[in-house]
Amino acid sequence: MARFTVNGDLVECQNEDKKLMHFLRDDLRLTSVKEGCGEGACGTCMVLVDGKTMRACIPAVSKLEGKNVITVEGLSEREKEVYAYAFAAMGAVQCGFCIPGMIISAKGLLDINPDPGRAEVKKALRGNICRCTGYVKIEDAILMAAKMLREGTDIPEKRITGKLGEDFFRVDAVEKTLGTGLYADDLVVDGMVYAKGLRSKYPRARIVSIDASAAETHPDCIRVITADDVPGNIKCGHLAKDWDALIAVGGITRYVGDAVALVVTKSKDKLDEVLSLVKVDYEELTPVTSPVQALADGAPLIHEGGNLLSRQFIKRGDADAAIAASKHVVTRHYSLPFTEHAFMEPECAIAMPDGDGGILLYSGGQSIYDEQREISGLLGIPQEKVRVKSMLVGGGFGGKEDMSVQHHAALAAWIVKLPVKIKFSREESMMIHPKRHAMEIDFTTACDENGHITAVKAEITSDTGAYASLGGPVLQRACTHAAGPYNFQNVHVVGNAAYTNNPPAGAFRGFGVTQSAFAMESNLNLLAELVGISPWEIRFRNAIRPGEVLPNDQIADESTALEECLLAVKETYDNAEYAGIASCFKNAGLGVGVPDTGRCIISVEGGKVHVRSSAACIGQGMATVLIQMVCETLGLPPSLVLTEVPDTTRTPNSGTTTASRQTTFSGEAAVIAAKKLMTDLAELLEQKACGLSKNDDNCIDAELAKELLLSLEGKEYYGEFRPDTDPMGSDKTNPTSHVSYGYAAQVIELDGQGKIAKVTAAYDVGTLVNPKSAEGQIEGGVVMGIGYALTEDFPVEGGYPKAKYGTLGLIRATDAPEIETIIVKKEGRLPAAYGAKGVGELATIPTAPAIQGAYYKLDGVFRQKLPMEDTYYRKKGK
Ligand code: FES
Ligand code: FES
């Protein structure tokens, strides 16, 4: 038995081999200690042991004998309030999953050095990964907390209105900082049992037989589930129903993440033991591991319909003729790798029987309604019988759109009639969920003698892996945005997405544009050289301006501010010795004629305004956006406005958190609903003959507002935003492909050794909702883009992923550079959501090509493959 103290209390653990993390989480229910990787690589489980930081997933409790362990729960009340304030005030919390671990590392530093500089803070955080924030705001928050603790500063009172443009604190900042907010794995349900999938041994193999008899005799085994047990449609998939929930005997696996069986056990510790008793006979088949192989004549078919998932063809003007007549032409081939989302929270879901023939699912995905639809199909029950509630989501970036654990948890709970939790290990998470698409791109860009772009011709081949996921739309966006945010009209882009036996690829921040923008922007630098102008100048000469026609034939609306973005970074670019620049644009919303609806219900309950939307917050701060939209519309103080968590019985379907759409779509739906409530409020004020009297903050006085709301108790107001867009290939002149586009320009400066010295990022995000949130999104996106350019890779050999979490190449605080964020302003604005545009994806896209340009300037090597080789960050062949 091991004895030690945790947060001042003496504790005992009978099982000396138990990992400290599991003891803290499972036995003591200390939810600030998060399991991000279980292999010592991420820092989410960080605790203090005798004053020193330690990852709790590493040591067995036997090593703690006589020691003193501190978790965030054990901080003094003063420390808790200071850290909670500083992290909220600095906008340091996004998905929040890394934050308690960060606080522990901060405390470890401040306890011995109460007045650290930024470099010391960075060093203290080098064992903690944050995938959302880019570290800047976390460092700011720690420096602020240090000052407050040092100087004994009181927590400042802040007057808040909740209106747009205000640094309104995120509503979930405190619970995420202190670790009291619950993610799916923090939830414990009475009688809960556990399930895990047995994954295919080979990327491509026929399942000859499955023998579960030995497993079923194990005392801990409740049930082994196979494809034969699925009551409904075994095929899942949001757009194409091609993903088997379980591979049946006689069926052929498509990648190593395919589930062959599910085991359900009483204890989670026995899952692997029981899984090892399930015997599967495979007939191993040669895998198809590249799109070239997949599309070759005679290639084995991965899906019945063939190996071509999607073919995109975009043609405007006459690119061939324009290229032939152009003064300068550049053609290059680019290779972009698979990359892994590496969100900090591995997938987890809990499902349980609910009422009469229903299922209740707690999950942390990107759309509760997608989960509801998939589960209802799999179980063969009506959608209304499936209730899905969202827990906090520890990051997604597109990687939590598909079914991973949710459908299996629901299936297991349905069959064993018990609450079932499925939680992926980090290894399972990396193996199973879709990646960023690997793409091979041939790209030709031409211009005249003055550097005016005349044409683009490109061929894009994308590896969508075993299943469609979002591979069709990702390829489409790669193609539609390939020509960039520039004013020219000759475009010829062909795209092919092929199924292979690699892990599936799907949505990932940037959604295909990250890849094609790298090619276009890199080519532009070569053209600038041929013309004899700077990379900044060629972008400025071609930048799309309001009223001009984008290469996709859509007229740039009056909010278009690429010119302003470029001007904002000009001086920095001109003054830097080794700088690269890139610009980009990204759509908000699904667009291209696909039905796309934002919905929101506002109800008045208990004298408060409840904002009900299913828009998933995956770290971007959706609840805060909605509250600010509603406060702006109603002029009510934010203390009277709250958001509900997504729940299919309470919150209307507002679509998936994808395509940078939620700020505009759910934001506008909330505004529409709020305006209806405003009509009633105005009427009541009129009856009271006090008009719309506002206080100094231009808000309705809180006491009066409360009184008015009480008289509207129980009323509901519905808002829906469903803008029309035109389909691909529309014969309209100047079709509307997307409701809006955001624009950006980034400059990357290198020092003489090739280390990034500074990033200057100018963004057109329309009307600014929350400055700190927008900056945080941009900083996080930039650091993700740095990883994409320089260090991140997800090697797959023969269909087998080779990466571990610790070898993914994720950027740490010590490698994150200074980032200056500039939000440009523009008079013109879009009509929806007060003109706010999403920034989530836009943030990542220009970084890699800007870095490529900077290195080209530094050493003259034109790099066409990511992650780049022979840099400060990565030596050749690594
Ligand atoms: S869970 Fe311990 S370091 Fe990741
Ligand atoms: S806030 Fe750090 S990982 Fe999400």
Side-chain angles (χ1 to χ4, degrees), residues 45 222 270 276 339 353 410 436 467 514 556 595 621 671 743 823 868:
C45 63
I222 295 172
K270 299 293 179 193
S276 70
T339 49
R436 187 189 294 286
Y467 295 104
T514 329
V671 171
Y743 296 85
I823 307 285
M868 295 177 211

Side-chain angles (χ1 to χ4, degrees), residues 456-789:
V456 152
K457 189 168 185 190
E459 188 164 344
I460 300 174
T461 305
S462 136
D463 184 344
T464 208
Y467 295 104
S469 179
L470 279 297
V474 167
L475 177 71
Q476 196 179 66
R477 288 293 77 67
C479 294
T480 56
H481 288 56
Y486 303 114
N487 178 24
F488 69 98
Q489 311 303 325
N490 296 303
V491 183
H492 186 174
V493 182
V494 177
N496 291 299
Y499 288 114
T500 64
N501 292 119
N502 291 327
F508 194 161
R509 194 178 204 172
F511 211 79
V513 185
T514 329
Q515 292 93 318
S516 59
F518 182 74
M520 174 64 178
E521 292 294 307
S522 299
N523 267 11
L524 273 188
N525 295 338
L526 293 179
L527 283 182
E529 196 172 64
L530 293 171
V531 176
I533 58 176
S534 77
W536 184 90
E537 186 63 35
I538 197 166
R539 287 168 174 84
F540 191 72
R541 286 186 190 181
N542 289 285
I544 194 81
R545 274 108 173 149
E548 292 178 347
V549 180
L550 280 159
N552 67 4
D553 205 15
Q554 179 164 340
I555 295 176
D557 64 59
E558 57 177 344
S559 75
T560 303
L562 177 57
E563 183 179 8
E564 287 81 353
C565 290
L566 284 163
L567 288 170
V569 299
K570 182 174 192 310
E571 203 180 321
T572 306
Y573 182 77
D574 287 346
N575 293 337
E577 201 177 353
Y578 307 114
I581 184 168
S583 36
C584 75
F585 73 143
K586 183 69 183 66
N587 55 290
L590 306 178
V592 294
V594 177
D596 196 4
T597 310
R599 298 185 182 89
C600 181
I601 294 170
I602 285 184
S603 52
V604 182
E605 299 175 48
K608 294 210 171 178
V609 174
H610 286 228
V611 185
R612 290 156 50 187
S613 165
S614 66
C617 176
I618 56 175
Q620 82 281 37
M622 198 57 221
T624 313
V625 169
L626 292 173
I627 288 179
Q628 290 194 258
M629 290 284 171
V630 169
C631 287
E632 177 75 22
T633 310
L634 295 175
L636 289 181
S639 56
L640 294 179
V641 182
L642 58 91
T643 50
E644 295 194 9
V645 295
D647 175 346
T648 50
T649 61
R650 289 281 298 171
T651 57
N653 187 354
S654 207
T656 312
T657 293
T658 189
S660 303
R661 61 181 290 284
Q662 291 294 14
T663 295
T664 303
F665 283 71
S666 294
E668 176 62 7
V671 171
I672 292 168
K675 281 181 177 163
K676 293 179 182 171
L677 167 57
M678 192 67 227
T679 306
D680 279 1
L681 285 173
E683 221 170 81
L684 285 170
L685 284 163
E686 204 169 296
Q687 283 165 20
K688 286 180 164 293
C690 56
L692 261 179
S693 58
K694 304 274 180 79
N695 61 18
D696 293 348
D697 293 328
N698 203 24
C699 288
I700 303 174
D701 175 73
E703 285 311 309
L704 174 61
K706 252 187 238 169
E707 190 188 323
L708 298 177
L709 289 173
L710 282 173
S711 57
L712 295 174
E713 184 66 21
K715 285 201 79 170
E716 288 190 356
Y717 306 86
Y718 179 66
E720 181 173 302
F721 178 56
R722 191 203 301 234
D724 287 332
T725 54
D726 298 307
M728 295 285 291
S730 164
D731 53 12
K732 260 191 194 170
T733 309
N734 304 127
T736 299
S737 289
H738 292 94
V739 289
S740 76
Y741 295 99
Y743 296 85
Q746 268 183 30
V747 169
I748 304 279
E749 294 173 63
L750 300 180
D751 67 16
Q753 277 70 53
K755 186 168 189 208
I756 297 176
K758 189 178 172 194
V759 181
T760 307
Y763 278 77
D764 157 27
V765 299
T767 302
L768 191 54
V769 177
N770 186 310
K772 283 263 187 296
S773 277
E775 284 170 20
Q777 286 283 303
I778 292 167
E779 289 158 0
V782 165
V783 169
M784 197 176 263
I786 291 172
Y788 185 53

Side-chain angles (χ1 to χ4, degrees), residues 786-854:
I786 291 172
Y788 185 53
L790 294 167
T791 54
E792 288 184 34
D793 201 359
F794 187 81
V796 180
E797 289 171 20
Y800 297 92
K802 293 295 175 190
K804 287 187 154 206
Y805 194 80
T807 64
L808 286 174
L810 307 177
I811 297 287
R812 293 177 184 269
T814 38
D815 279 328
E818 178 190 350
I819 302 169
E820 181 187 349
T821 300
I822 303 165
I823 307 285
V824 303
K825 296 205 165 50
K826 179 108 184 167
E827 281 295 299
R829 73 177 200 194
L830 292 161
Y834 296 107
K837 310 185 206 178
V839 64
E841 296 178 280
L842 196 62
T844 303
I845 298 166
T847 312
I851 292 173
Q852 195 267 11

Side-chain angles (χ1 to χ4, degrees), residues 849-863:
I851 292 173
Q852 195 267 11
Y855 267 101
Y856 185 47
K857 186 88 175 276
L858 177 75
D859 62 14
V861 178
F862 190 81
R863 293 165 172 83

Side-chain angles (χ1 to χ4, degrees), residues 92-99 102 129-133 138 344 394-395:
V93 183
Q94 292 189 28
C95 85
F97 202 77
C98 71
I99 300 295
M102 295 281 181
I129 290 182
C130 174
R131 194 61 166 154
C132 300
T133 65
I138 291 177
M344 298 306 290

Side-chain angles (χ1 to χ4, degrees), residues 21 34-46 55-58 127:
M21 178 179 69
K34 305 288 186 202
E35 182 174 1
C37 70
E39 56 190 58
C42 76
T44 58
C45 63
M46 201 71 86
R55 297 166 183 89
C57 64
I58 302 288

